[in-house]
Amino acid sequence: MYAIIETGGKQYRVQEGDILEVEKLDCEAGSVYSFDKVLAVAKDDGTVDFGKPYLKDVKVDAKVLEHGKGKKIIVFKYKPKKNERKKKGHRQPFTRVQIEKIM
């Protein structure tokens, strides 16, 4: 059984027990977060239910494992022939969750 959820502007295919990194969620580490934007659910008997755009009465519960920051990305801008240079770094925050239950 798997589900397709939407969070942070992205879509993820998840099963029970999966660990994934999503955009930062506003919740404490160790708590349970419920994803209610479920696009599709495939059951063990082979049937697939699709939402328009989301399924009602279906949610995916996940345990929040930790919050963190991703790998540093260097942003370097310059203007040729002007000696104008700008160097910035960026680390995208994320939340690591483990899928517990698809209901």
Side-chain angles (χ1 to χ4, degrees):
M1 179 175 195
Y2 69 88
I4 298 175
I5 61 171
E6 180 181 331
T7 179
K10 299 177 181 81
Q11 297 175 1
Y12 300 93
R13 180 187 187 270
V14 297
Q15 290 179 321
E16 292 181 6
D18 283 354
I19 296 174
L20 62 139
E21 291 180 1
V22 297
E23 295 293 321
K24 187 171 185 207
L25 301 172
D26 188 24
C27 58
E28 296 291 323
S31 64
V32 175
Y33 187 83
S34 180
F35 296 103
D36 55 352
K37 291 185 176 180
V38 179
L39 299 166
V41 171
K43 297 184 175 109
D44 292 330
D45 60 359
T47 61
V48 181
D49 296 330
F50 294 100
K52 297 179 185 176
Y54 304 115
L55 287 170
K56 297 175 183 157
D57 305 329
V58 178
K59 64 181 182 173
V60 176
D61 288 339
K63 181 179 180 184
V64 178
L65 300 177
E66 65 177 340
H67 299 286
K69 289 184 177 181
K71 185 178 165 188
K72 181 170 266 199
I73 297 172
I74 304 298
V75 179
F76 187 74
K77 296 180 180 182
Y78 77 100
K79 304 232 180 198
K81 304 177 190 168
K82 304 289 187 208
N83 197 19
E84 186 176 328
R85 292 170 174 81
K86 192 182 294 185
K87 183 178 179 180
K88 285 176 136 181
H90 175 74
R91 293 180 70 188
Q92 184 71 21
F94 68 85
T95 301
R96 187 171 285 132
V97 297
Q98 181 174 14
I99 304 300
E100 290 184 336
K101 209 173 0 176
I102 299 173
M103 297 186 286

